[in-house]
Amino acid sequence: MTHAHRLAAVRRTMAEYDINAFIVPHDDEHLGEYIPPYAERLDWVTGFSGSAGVAVILADTAAMFVDGRYTVQVRQQCDNTLFSYHHLIDEPYLNWLITELNAGDKVGFDAHLHSQHWYQGAQEKLAAHNITLVPIAHNIIDQHWQDRPTPNSHPALLLSQDYSGQHSEAKRNRIAQGLAEQHIDAQLLTQAEPINWLLNIRGRDIDCLPVVLSFALLYQDGSVQLFADPAKFAGLDLAAHAGDNVSLFAVCEFEKHLQMLGTQKSRVQLDPTTANAWSALTLSEAGAELVFAADPCMLPKACKNQVEVNGSRSAHLRDGAAVCRFLSWLDKRLSQPHPEQEHEGTLADKLESFRASHPEFVEPSFSTISALGPNAAMCHYHHLNGTPRTLGQDAIYLVDSGGQYLDGTTDITRTVAVGEPDAEIKKLFTLVLRGHIDLAQARFPAGTAGQQLDALARMPLWQQGYNFDHGTGHGVGHYLSVHEGPQRISPKGSMVPLTSGMIVSNEPGYYREQGFGIRCENLQVVQAAHLDGDIPVFEFETLTFVPFDRRLIDENWLENKHIQWLNQYHRQVWEKISPLLEGDDLAWLEQATRPL
Amino acid sequence: MTHAHRLAAVRRTMAEYDINAFIVPHDDEHLGEYIPPYAERLDWVTGFSGSAGVAVILADTAAMFVDGRYTVQVRQQCDNTLFSYHHLIDEPYLNWLITELNAGDKVGFDAHLHSQHWYQGAQEKLAAHNITLVPIAHNIIDQHWQDRPTPNSHPALLLSQDYSGQHSEAKRNRIAQGLAEQHIDAQLLTQAEPINWLLNIRGRDIDCLPVVLSFALLYQDGSVQLFADPAKFAGLDLAAHAGDNVSLFAVCEFEKHLQMLGTQKSRVQLDPTTANAWSALTLSEAGAELVFAADPCMLPKACKNQVEVNGSRSAHLRDGAAVCRFLSWLDKRLSQPHPEQEHEGTLADKLESFRASHPEFVEPSFSTISALGPNAAMCHYHHLNGTPRTLGQDAIYLVDSGGQYLDGTTDITRTVAVGEPDAEIKKLFTLVLRGHIDLAQARFPAGTAGQQLDALARMPLWQQGYNFDHGTGHGVGHYLSVHEGPQRISPKGSMVPLTSGMIVSNEPGYYREQGFGIRCENLQVVQAAHLDGDIPVFEFETLTFVPFDRRLIDENWLENKHIQWLNQYHRQVWEKISPLLEGDDLAWLEQATRPL
């Protein structure tokens, strides 16, 4: 079935339903960052495989909306005789709909796939033009998707307290107490990460994100109803693991429980930015009182306990050794005949093979960015989307990768010399590294948000008239998503204070279009500093231990304090990683960590 | 009439009006930072003379709400048999009212003295408890205030384009064009500074703030109706100065014009955070459509034109020479017999006398903070509120002062040795100065807000476990208010980007309660930097030229780049200020500016 046929099928059903437009977002019903193959509805109807985008289908026309990352890809993947292309941010699709439709028209959407926040805003915006949003109970794509993949059957994992550091009951009671104080009867949880954290469970439902996809209701008494595929828990004693008051239901029971909450006139709290509109509609139509607030699991999940921090430290040593072995191998390979036989793909595979040699390794924490020369200037480059570059053509190589281990999640970027870097590359690498060091050395009082620290990492670049167009740091989970909130280090956005146990990346970069890309990324955990001043302050403890490439450093762009930091960091790398290496790799590490 | 009598009189009228409470804020109808004596209603009824606070009067009880600055002063000034004391922030007075009143009760307030924003919020909050807000047309205080001061009769000044740099017509047309684009018929202006800026007028209606208090309506065609005391413009040709389409009306005509806008069903824009609720009520009750948005004068006023920047540069040289003469005199005075004959008051007067010797000097830009030893630890200390300390008791002296000149407004703080500062004082002074220098050296791309740079000035203190509890920098007007928005350098608040021509202070500090206070403050103007990088960036040009006290610097707490900045700054001070000094003062400057 071609995309033209698929589009025609969707349009036939739209006509039957008497709707003038149908919206197909990329998201699934959990509204998380990643979706499983069976939720790739946007790809099915348009051919677009990117991680964000929306299609809007009208009777005679259809449009694709993607952000700046995907303006090239959408043209490659979506037939321009079927779809017009638009910028998701600059030309919001609701605005486009308003210009295309007439007063009295109806727009169909699947309320499972949109947040309550979106629904409220969209409804208001369209109503001003006398256009109505109509929830479609059975998604039109699903009605026509014949060969739709089935959800995988990976069993769930009950995560031992040796890894989680806190029993589910303690987590649930703490959050339930907050609900009781605000007279909330139940908290609706719809995202996978907070549910998996709360119950100390993990899964393999999505690549790179070790979760069981599920919904949950957390009640004021601390009890939880989990709605997930029961087959995944076959043979597992969830109640013995997570607590007697945790009960498992099939996902198809979820609607009934929402309706029961309504019948009981319950006050139900949900996060309107992450909960889907269908849950909110189901609850309120059944009579529940909705309370909108941030998901109360997010902050305690972000503040890792001592066991989680220790686990992350261990995972990072293991991960650091794997990356060092890869970098050692890479240097050797460059000196051997025919380095051009290696390309970005073989390099990524080689790196993964070193990680996979550790028994605690589960899977990559995201799809490795392995980028030579100009490819590294595309922040979301992937070597499978074109012809990968080979060794020998370029001066520098950027590799951004990470692992999911049972005791922690890693994420590291190193930029290394694979040719003859010129003075300008060295200058820019050194400025990026300097910003990384300035942020790594920050101390700050309670109440300080990442937004207030972001400029530290950029200032060395700003001083010379350069910048980079992405955030400086994201939160990282504990054997969970490599991207998590609410903490963030970026110019705008989250004002959530950084506090003890939060793990954040520190990853300034520099990107020269058609030229090269540089990024220096470590993970660091927020800890109390012990000083003699007036007030308690926090500092960052670095978790990642892999050398920064000394061959790319121009000391003229550093001050003494940066060189001291770097020498001390490399001494630590040597002390922590050398016991895990041997032979050539050990010799490589010794020269890579000698003082400047 | 005692405050007890005054309170009794107010309560009699409250009973006549059948209201259960009456709110008396500090603000006047312009809701600016400063108010004239005739608007000191809060002082009249409570005895409290601070610059911020609210009294709430009930039939049997009354309460004073002040912020942390005034918790001591309110106890000294307000009779505790008449008023209970509360913290304005921690215990909001609306919350207190809700606990004191019953459903069905009525709260009187003067809608002239509250913002539209406050009114909407308060109305909603009280309505939830079935309590009604009742606007009182004729303020109850005014009905009983027999010896109320009359407004002063200082004539207005028509500010020459040699100072303003842009004709009123150009300013008005630019803003009117924005109104037309948004189909706004008229912009309501109620704060003094934007009106005086827009019409290139100044006055002396309030100490330290050179404005004519007034209201104005700016129409889509660029015409303005100014509502002010016509006597202040006697003999002045406002139309010839500001434009034929600028017309002057007595303030008593203002209500009628608002009502006319209503009759015409006009769309009127106002800033709900600065426009009083009375104007908004008058407009909407008459039939106008209200549009809420930030005052469109604020941003262009904040971005000084080249003439204003040049004027500020000149004002700062003059002001710097005056401060240098004062510091030179102070050092000499300390070496002469009986320095204890000088106290904080005589020092402040001496400093003002040096400023006043310049013909362009109009008045101080705020009440000088002249604080010795522990008094400097109180950020809002004033020597008239107690017994001023004398020279000879303390190691260091903090003086924060500024001048209004026809060509610019200044604001400078220097902390200087007047005794034997110990190592800890030197360490903390040096950390404060280091933060000042780090912020002064910042460069940043378009779109960067002060909030993103604030941490630069605090990081040296944070590194050692210290902080200061005020913003790092405020906007400064051009021969206008020494405090202006929308730009700001502080941990929270304004995300308005810093851009060319904005003047901001750079004033980190450190305060040791019962010990000492340190602050290092220069003004700086945002300018384009000229670099070879990828993107345009801004940098700060320092406007203030007065030495920092070398005797307080411990070089161990500085890096090379700070010493280089300081030596270069002192060289500039010498070059710019030495031509304005002679004799002992010149010799003083030479030793004060020699390199570290």
Side-chain angles (χ1 to χ4, degrees), chain B residues 538-568:
Chain B
F538 295 112
E539 62 189 1
F540 294 116
E541 174 193 327
T542 298
L543 292 171
T544 308
F545 290 103
V546 172
F548 290 103
D549 194 341
R550 301 169 76 268
R551 297 165 298 187
L552 291 176
I553 294 173
D554 178 347
E555 288 185 47
N556 294 314
W557 293 101
L558 297 180
E559 291 171 47
N560 273 339
K561 70 170 179 182
H562 304 111
I563 292 173
Q564 280 167 21
W565 184 92
L566 203 64
N567 286 341
Q568 196 196 328

Short mmCIF file of all heavy atoms in Angstrom, two decimals, chain B residues 538-568:
data_model
loop_
_atom_site.label_atom_id
_atom_site.label_comp_id
_atom_site.label_asym_id
_atom_site.label_seq_id
_atom_site.Cartn_x
_atom_site.Cartn_y
_atom_site.Cartn_z
N PHE B 538 27.26 41.46 22.42
CA PHE B 538 27.31 42.72 23.15
C PHE B 538 28.38 42.64 24.23
O PHE B 538 28.78 41.55 24.66
CB PHE B 538 25.96 42.99 23.83
CG PHE B 538 24.84 43.23 22.86
CD1 PHE B 538 23.80 42.31 22.74
CD2 PHE B 538 24.80 44.37 22.08
CE1 PHE B 538 22.75 42.52 21.85
CE2 PHE B 538 23.76 44.59 21.19
CZ PHE B 538 22.73 43.66 21.07
N GLU B 539 28.81 43.81 24.69
CA GLU B 539 29.68 43.87 25.86
C GLU B 539 29.30 45.10 26.66
O GLU B 539 28.48 45.90 26.23
CB GLU B 539 31.16 43.92 25.44
CG GLU B 539 31.55 45.14 24.63
CD GLU B 539 32.95 45.04 24.04
OE1 GLU B 539 33.64 44.02 24.24
OE2 GLU B 539 33.36 46.00 23.37
N PHE B 540 29.86 45.25 27.84
CA PHE B 540 29.57 46.40 28.69
C PHE B 540 30.68 47.44 28.55
O PHE B 540 31.86 47.11 28.62
CB PHE B 540 29.47 45.98 30.16
CG PHE B 540 28.33 45.07 30.48
CD1 PHE B 540 28.55 43.78 30.94
CD2 PHE B 540 27.02 45.52 30.36
CE1 PHE B 540 27.49 42.94 31.26
CE2 PHE B 540 25.95 44.68 30.67
CZ PHE B 540 26.18 43.40 31.12
N GLU B 541 30.28 48.69 28.36
CA GLU B 541 31.23 49.81 28.47
C GLU B 541 31.02 50.43 29.84
O GLU B 541 29.90 50.81 30.19
CB GLU B 541 30.94 50.84 27.38
CG GLU B 541 31.79 52.09 27.52
CD GLU B 541 31.28 53.25 26.65
OE1 GLU B 541 30.76 53.00 25.54
OE2 GLU B 541 31.39 54.40 27.11
N THR B 542 32.08 50.50 30.63
CA THR B 542 31.96 51.10 31.96
C THR B 542 31.79 52.61 31.84
O THR B 542 32.50 53.26 31.07
CB THR B 542 33.20 50.74 32.80
OG1 THR B 542 33.25 49.32 32.94
CG2 THR B 542 33.13 51.38 34.17
N LEU B 543 30.84 53.15 32.59
CA LEU B 543 30.60 54.58 32.59
C LEU B 543 31.24 55.28 33.79
O LEU B 543 31.59 56.46 33.70
CB LEU B 543 29.08 54.87 32.60
CG LEU B 543 28.30 54.48 31.34
CD1 LEU B 543 26.81 54.60 31.58
CD2 LEU B 543 28.72 55.34 30.16
N THR B 544 31.36 54.56 34.89
CA THR B 544 31.81 55.15 36.15
C THR B 544 33.33 55.10 36.24
O THR B 544 33.92 54.04 35.99
CB THR B 544 31.22 54.33 37.32
OG1 THR B 544 29.81 54.22 37.14
CG2 THR B 544 31.52 54.99 38.66
N PHE B 545 33.95 56.20 36.61
CA PHE B 545 35.42 56.24 36.71
C PHE B 545 35.89 56.80 38.04
O PHE B 545 36.09 58.01 38.18
CB PHE B 545 36.02 57.01 35.52
CG PHE B 545 35.88 56.25 34.24
CD1 PHE B 545 34.90 56.59 33.31
CD2 PHE B 545 36.68 55.15 33.98
CE1 PHE B 545 34.74 55.86 32.14
CE2 PHE B 545 36.52 54.42 32.82
CZ PHE B 545 35.55 54.77 31.89
N VAL B 546 36.05 55.93 39.00
CA VAL B 546 36.55 56.26 40.34
C VAL B 546 37.35 55.04 40.80
O VAL B 546 36.88 53.91 40.63
CB VAL B 546 35.37 56.53 41.32
CG1 VAL B 546 35.89 56.68 42.75
CG2 VAL B 546 34.57 57.76 40.89
N PRO B 547 38.53 55.24 41.38
CA PRO B 547 39.33 54.06 41.77
C PRO B 547 38.61 53.17 42.79
O PRO B 547 37.84 53.65 43.62
CB PRO B 547 40.59 54.67 42.42
CG PRO B 547 40.59 56.11 42.05
CD PRO B 547 39.19 56.50 41.70
N PHE B 548 38.89 51.85 42.69
CA PHE B 548 38.54 50.93 43.78
C PHE B 548 39.71 50.96 44.76
O PHE B 548 40.87 51.07 44.35
CB PHE B 548 38.33 49.51 43.23
CG PHE B 548 37.09 49.38 42.39
CD1 PHE B 548 37.16 49.34 41.01
CD2 PHE B 548 35.84 49.30 43.00
CE1 PHE B 548 36.01 49.22 40.23
CE2 PHE B 548 34.69 49.17 42.22
CZ PHE B 548 34.77 49.14 40.85
N ASP B 549 39.40 50.83 46.03
CA ASP B 549 40.43 51.05 47.06
C ASP B 549 41.46 49.93 47.05
O ASP B 549 41.19 48.80 47.47
CB ASP B 549 39.76 51.16 48.44
CG ASP B 549 40.73 51.71 49.47
OD1 ASP B 549 41.97 51.67 49.23
OD2 ASP B 549 40.26 52.21 50.50
N ARG B 550 42.69 50.24 46.59
CA ARG B 550 43.77 49.25 46.50
C ARG B 550 44.13 48.68 47.87
O ARG B 550 44.63 47.57 47.99
CB ARG B 550 45.00 49.87 45.85
CG ARG B 550 44.75 50.40 44.45
CD ARG B 550 45.90 51.25 43.93
NE ARG B 550 47.05 50.47 43.51
CZ ARG B 550 48.07 50.16 44.27
NH1 ARG B 550 48.11 50.56 45.53
NH2 ARG B 550 49.07 49.45 43.80
N ARG B 551 43.87 49.47 48.94
CA ARG B 551 44.25 49.04 50.30
C ARG B 551 43.39 47.87 50.77
O ARG B 551 43.71 47.20 51.74
CB ARG B 551 44.11 50.21 51.28
CG ARG B 551 45.04 51.38 50.97
CD ARG B 551 44.62 52.64 51.72
NE ARG B 551 43.27 53.09 51.32
CZ ARG B 551 42.72 54.25 51.72
NH1 ARG B 551 43.38 55.04 52.57
NH2 ARG B 551 41.52 54.59 51.32
N LEU B 552 42.26 47.63 50.07
CA LEU B 552 41.36 46.55 50.49
C LEU B 552 41.54 45.29 49.65
O LEU B 552 40.82 44.30 49.85
CB LEU B 552 39.90 47.02 50.40
CG LEU B 552 39.51 48.09 51.42
CD1 LEU B 552 38.07 48.55 51.18
CD2 LEU B 552 39.64 47.55 52.85
N ILE B 553 42.46 45.33 48.70
CA ILE B 553 42.60 44.19 47.78
C ILE B 553 43.65 43.20 48.28
O ILE B 553 44.76 43.60 48.63
CB ILE B 553 42.98 44.69 46.36
CG1 ILE B 553 41.81 45.51 45.78
CG2 ILE B 553 43.32 43.50 45.44
CD1 ILE B 553 42.11 46.19 44.47
N ASP B 554 43.28 41.93 48.33
CA ASP B 554 44.24 40.85 48.60
C ASP B 554 44.43 40.09 47.29
O ASP B 554 43.56 39.33 46.86
CB ASP B 554 43.67 39.93 49.69
CG ASP B 554 44.59 38.75 49.98
OD1 ASP B 554 45.53 38.51 49.19
OD2 ASP B 554 44.35 38.07 50.98
N GLU B 555 45.58 40.34 46.66
CA GLU B 555 45.80 39.81 45.30
C GLU B 555 45.73 38.29 45.22
O GLU B 555 45.56 37.73 44.14
CB GLU B 555 47.15 40.27 44.75
CG GLU B 555 47.16 41.74 44.40
CD GLU B 555 48.48 42.15 43.74
OE1 GLU B 555 48.95 41.44 42.83
OE2 GLU B 555 49.03 43.19 44.14
N ASN B 556 45.86 37.62 46.37
CA ASN B 556 45.79 36.15 46.36
C ASN B 556 44.43 35.64 45.91
O ASN B 556 44.30 34.49 45.53
CB ASN B 556 46.09 35.60 47.75
CG ASN B 556 47.52 35.88 48.15
OD1 ASN B 556 48.44 35.66 47.35
ND2 ASN B 556 47.72 36.40 49.34
N TRP B 557 43.42 36.50 46.01
CA TRP B 557 42.08 36.08 45.63
C TRP B 557 41.72 36.51 44.21
O TRP B 557 40.58 36.39 43.80
CB TRP B 557 41.05 36.61 46.62
CG TRP B 557 41.21 35.96 47.96
CD1 TRP B 557 41.83 36.48 49.06
CD2 TRP B 557 40.78 34.64 48.32
NE1 TRP B 557 41.81 35.56 50.09
CE2 TRP B 557 41.18 34.43 49.66
CE3 TRP B 557 40.11 33.62 47.64
CZ2 TRP B 557 40.90 33.24 50.34
CZ3 TRP B 557 39.85 32.44 48.31
CH2 TRP B 557 40.25 32.25 49.64
N LEU B 558 42.71 37.01 43.47
CA LEU B 558 42.45 37.42 42.08
C LEU B 558 43.27 36.56 41.13
O LEU B 558 44.33 36.05 41.49
CB LEU B 558 42.83 38.89 41.88
CG LEU B 558 42.04 39.92 42.69
CD1 LEU B 558 42.56 41.33 42.37
CD2 LEU B 558 40.54 39.84 42.38
N GLU B 559 42.75 36.42 39.90
CA GLU B 559 43.55 35.82 38.84
C GLU B 559 44.18 36.95 38.03
O GLU B 559 43.81 38.11 38.15
CB GLU B 559 42.66 34.98 37.91
CG GLU B 559 42.14 33.71 38.57
CD GLU B 559 41.10 33.06 37.68
OE1 GLU B 559 41.33 32.91 36.48
OE2 GLU B 559 40.02 32.72 38.21
N ASN B 560 45.08 36.57 37.14
CA ASN B 560 45.74 37.57 36.31
C ASN B 560 44.76 38.46 35.56
O ASN B 560 44.94 39.66 35.47
CB ASN B 560 46.63 36.88 35.28
CG ASN B 560 48.00 36.63 35.87
OD1 ASN B 560 48.39 37.29 36.84
ND2 ASN B 560 48.72 35.68 35.31
N LYS B 561 43.70 37.83 35.03
CA LYS B 561 42.79 38.63 34.20
C LYS B 561 42.10 39.72 35.02
O LYS B 561 41.77 40.78 34.50
CB LYS B 561 41.78 37.74 33.47
CG LYS B 561 40.75 37.09 34.35
CD LYS B 561 39.65 36.43 33.49
CE LYS B 561 38.64 35.75 34.40
NZ LYS B 561 37.59 35.06 33.67
N HIS B 562 41.87 39.46 36.32
CA HIS B 562 41.24 40.49 37.15
C HIS B 562 42.21 41.64 37.41
O HIS B 562 41.82 42.81 37.40
CB HIS B 562 40.78 39.88 38.47
CG HIS B 562 39.86 38.72 38.30
ND1 HIS B 562 40.21 37.44 38.62
CD2 HIS B 562 38.59 38.65 37.80
CE1 HIS B 562 39.20 36.62 38.34
NE2 HIS B 562 38.21 37.33 37.84
N ILE B 563 43.47 41.28 37.64
CA ILE B 563 44.48 42.33 37.90
C ILE B 563 44.68 43.17 36.65
O ILE B 563 44.76 44.40 36.70
CB ILE B 563 45.79 41.67 38.39
CG1 ILE B 563 45.54 41.07 39.78
CG2 ILE B 563 46.93 42.69 38.43
CD1 ILE B 563 46.68 40.23 40.32
N GLN B 564 44.70 42.48 35.50
CA GLN B 564 44.83 43.23 34.23
C GLN B 564 43.66 44.18 34.03
O GLN B 564 43.83 45.33 33.63
CB GLN B 564 44.88 42.26 33.05
CG GLN B 564 46.25 41.63 32.86
CD GLN B 564 46.20 40.45 31.90
OE1 GLN B 564 45.27 40.35 31.09
NE2 GLN B 564 47.18 39.58 31.98
N TRP B 565 42.43 43.69 34.31
CA TRP B 565 41.26 44.55 34.14
C TRP B 565 41.37 45.77 35.07
O TRP B 565 41.14 46.91 34.66
CB TRP B 565 39.98 43.77 34.46
CG TRP B 565 38.73 44.58 34.21
CD1 TRP B 565 37.99 44.61 33.06
CD2 TRP B 565 38.07 45.46 35.13
NE1 TRP B 565 36.91 45.46 33.21
CE2 TRP B 565 36.94 46.00 34.47
CE3 TRP B 565 38.33 45.86 36.45
CZ2 TRP B 565 36.06 46.92 35.08
CZ3 TRP B 565 37.46 46.77 37.06
CH2 TRP B 565 36.35 47.29 36.38
N LEU B 566 41.77 45.51 36.32
CA LEU B 566 41.81 46.57 37.31
C LEU B 566 42.86 47.61 36.95
O LEU B 566 42.62 48.82 37.03
CB LEU B 566 42.12 45.96 38.67
CG LEU B 566 41.69 46.76 39.88
CD1 LEU B 566 40.17 46.91 39.91
CD2 LEU B 566 42.16 46.06 41.15
N ASN B 567 44.03 47.15 36.52
CA ASN B 567 45.08 48.10 36.14
C ASN B 567 44.67 48.93 34.94
O ASN B 567 44.93 50.13 34.88
CB ASN B 567 46.39 47.34 35.86
CG ASN B 567 47.04 46.86 37.14
OD1 ASN B 567 46.74 47.36 38.24
ND2 ASN B 567 47.94 45.88 37.02
N GLN B 568 43.98 48.27 34.01
CA GLN B 568 43.53 49.02 32.83
C GLN B 568 42.43 50.01 33.21
O GLN B 568 42.41 51.15 32.73
CB GLN B 568 43.03 48.04 31.77
CG GLN B 568 42.91 48.70 30.40
CD GLN B 568 42.06 47.86 29.44
OE1 GLN B 568 42.04 46.63 29.53
NE2 GLN B 568 41.34 48.52 28.55
#
